[in-house]
Amino acid sequence: MNEQSTVPLPAGDIPGPVAASASLDAVTAPSAAPRAVSRTSYGSLWRGVPRELGFLLLTMPIAIIGLSVLASLFWTGLGTIVIYVGFFIVVATFYTARAFGVVELTRLDWAGRPAIPRPVWEPADKPRTFWRILFGPWANGHYWLYLLHGMIINPIVSVISWSITIAWTSVALGGLTGWLWLGFIPNGNREFYLSRVVADAVFGIHSTFDPVAGDRILYLIAGILFAATLPFVTRALTLVHHAVARGLLGAWPSEALQREVADLSSQRGAAVSAEDRSLRRLERDLHDGPQQRLIRLQMDIAAAERKLSDDPEAAASLLREARKQAGDTLEELRALSRGFAPPILQDRGLGAAVDSLAARSTIPLTVESTLEPGERFSPEVERNAYYVLAELSANLAKHSGATAGRLVLERTVDTAGAPWLSVWLTDNGHGGATIVPGHGLSGLAERVHGLRGELVVDSPAGGPTVIGARLPLT
């Protein structure tokens, strides 16, 4: 790697596995990872009531505002489209509907519902031009669905859910607190008491109990029942809004497939580029090292042959030099092979290979691993994880100015339950490592991306440096 690499930590202050893991995971946690599914209990339903009530109580005001704004803009635009001004008003209506839809999705996130995938509004590979802004919404189905949601569907659903929420909450609060305020309401010549009507209808009798006390008891019972079922009502109504938003405001399955295909194409391109870079580097190393030594070895042997009969001592000296050249060439070839897949990696696994790598380093390196002794991974994962650490340790010696470092290996599980192998190097050098196109860390990033992994570089000027990779194990 020909890039300023590993960044320094102050001497004696190299982060341990916990700190390094926190740093790496904070940067690399996958944004699209699904939330962990937790068991729903009655207590967890109650914990969600404040957020769900806040969402539901605001639904109708926001929906009515959205209906008023969108309907005014849309019908005004259609009415004036013959004089061309309406065309621009309708375009403004599309973008306004999109804004109201984004507000709805954000409110659902705040209400604790799982995030709904957002639509792809504009192709990432095409420039954002004035004409695309002006004509794009007409051809994008998402804008029409957002308009449908804001003008028709959401107002209807919101009025119903808001009414149920207000009624249910009012009965719960009124019934639970009725014993405080019912005594202050004058009865006058009142003849209708709900408790008597209920008792007579249920038991088929002509009740004679005190109807004022009966009403208070009935209201309290109703308040308890409505309060006890309030979490189920708010959750159900919030789920209705979430289902409507997922169907009208979310991304289409085909878009997710397109993104996956694009990611796979990108990963394949990155893998091909990384392999090409590695092959060119190997070719350069072979040309500059072993090939030159072999040429000199050939010349020394040819000179020894010429002197063998006339000057045996000179021939013997040349042969000794040739033997030394052969030994040096063999060591250099072994060093090159260790950079890709050393025999110890194939025989004993990643942990043993990294221990060997640390032992050969010219900068003191310690190895910290949470892997089980002898734990093995697929050959592809082990080979690339070792390659990353070998490149980083070589970069450490060349560019970092560090006096010590740590190689860390850890098997982790993300929020979706998928296993990952995290490997990284920390050092106490001078920092400043960056990913520069065409240089060493860039090649590592391409290699890791080709495996659907992530390379993270945290290397502020002055250090310390944490450089690591996360590789999926599935």
Side-chain angles (χ1 to χ4, degrees), residues 102-455:
V102 170
V103 170
E104 181 74 4
L105 292 175
T106 304
R107 292 176 61 245
L108 284 168
D109 292 341
W110 289 346
R113 295 295 86 218
I116 297 175
R118 271 48 170 180
V120 177
W121 295 104
E122 296 175 1
D125 57 341
K126 297 181 179 179
R128 182 179 173 84
T129 63
F130 171 78
W131 299 111
R132 189 175 298 279
I133 294 173
L134 193 61
F135 291 99
W138 295 87
N140 190 330
H142 286 298
Y143 283 99
W144 291 97
L145 289 177
Y146 271 56
L147 186 61
L148 175 66
H149 178 269
M151 282 184 58
I152 301 176
I153 305 300
N154 196 42
I156 295 173
V157 176
S158 296
V159 168
I160 296 173
S161 65
W162 186 86
S163 302
I164 294 174
T165 302
I166 291 294
W168 213 277
T169 307
S170 299
V171 172
L173 293 177
L176 292 175
T177 61
W179 59 276
L180 289 174
W181 50 268
L182 281 174
F184 297 98
I185 298 178
N187 290 319
N189 296 324
R190 178 182 175 188
E191 296 181 357
F192 178 82
Y193 291 92
L194 183 61
S195 58
R196 278 190 171 179
V197 174
V198 172
D200 293 351
V202 172
F203 298 105
I205 61 173
H206 181 70
S207 56
T208 58
F209 58 81
D210 182 3
V212 174
D215 274 10
R216 294 185 181 182
I217 295 173
L218 179 63
Y219 294 158
L220 179 61
I221 293 173
I224 293 173
L225 291 176
F226 275 71
T229 54
L230 181 62
F232 299 101
V233 174
T234 59
R235 178 61 56 87
L237 294 176
T238 306
L239 288 176
V240 169
H241 281 274
H242 186 264
V244 171
R246 180 177 291 277
L248 294 176
L249 307 181
W252 298 327
S254 59
E255 292 177 331
L257 181 60
Q258 289 173 357
R259 283 196 295 268
E260 184 177 353
V261 170
D263 288 342
L264 290 175
S265 298
S266 174
Q267 290 164 3
R268 179 181 179 276
V272 171
S273 177
E275 282 302 316
D276 180 67
R277 190 186 304 274
S278 298
L279 288 174
R280 283 189 279 110
R281 178 188 170 186
L282 177 61
E283 181 182 11
R284 183 179 65 250
D285 290 341
L286 289 172
H287 179 273
D288 296 342
Q291 181 175 329
Q292 299 301 319
R293 292 183 182 276
L294 289 174
I295 292 174
R296 181 178 174 182
L297 175 63
Q298 184 183 26
M299 294 173 62
D300 288 346
I301 293 176
E305 288 177 344
R306 290 194 299 268
K307 293 180 177 292
L308 190 59
S309 57
D310 300 334
D311 191 353
E313 292 184 3
S317 176
L318 288 172
L319 289 174
R320 285 192 296 271
E321 181 66 22
R323 185 178 60 181
K324 182 177 181 303
Q325 289 291 334
D328 292 342
T329 302
L330 181 60
E331 286 300 318
E332 193 161 357
L333 288 172
R334 286 173 177 170
L336 287 174
S337 68
R338 282 196 298 266
F340 291 90
I344 191 174
L345 177 65
Q346 302 174 7
D347 297 339
R348 297 174 54 191
L350 181 61
V354 172
D355 288 336
S356 175
L357 178 66
R360 298 194 310 270
S361 174
T362 57
I363 304 294
L365 290 176
T366 58
V367 178
E368 297 183 4
S369 174
T370 62
L371 304 181
E372 296 293 332
E375 185 173 2
R376 301 300 302 267
F377 306 101
S378 68
E380 180 185 46
V381 169
E382 288 189 340
R383 182 173 63 254
N384 284 278
Y386 177 84
Y387 180 84
V388 169
L389 292 179
E391 287 289 281
L392 292 179
S393 62
N395 209 28
L396 174 72
K398 293 178 182 178
H399 307 294
S400 70
T403 58
R406 286 181 181 172
L407 299 174
V408 183
L409 297 88
E410 185 177 20
R411 182 187 178 120
T412 59
V413 177
D414 63 18
T415 55
W420 292 74
L421 174 65
S422 298
V423 296
W424 67 91
L425 181 145
T426 66
D427 68 63
N428 62 353
H430 50 63
T434 55
I435 297 179
V436 179
H439 291 271
L441 289 182
S442 176
L444 279 184
E446 290 179 350
R447 175 181 289 269
V448 172
H449 181 63
L451 295 170
R452 297 180 294 113
E454 300 166 298
L455 182 75

Side-chain angles (χ1 to χ4, degrees), residues 58-74 93 96-97 99-101 146-147 149-152 154-155:
L58 290 175
T59 52
M60 192 176 75
I62 294 176
I64 296 303
I65 293 173
L67 170 62
S68 303
V69 173
L70 295 175
S72 300
L73 287 174
F74 183 73
T93 307
T96 305
F100 276 104
Y146 271 56
L147 186 61
H149 178 269
M151 282 184 58
I152 301 176
N154 196 42

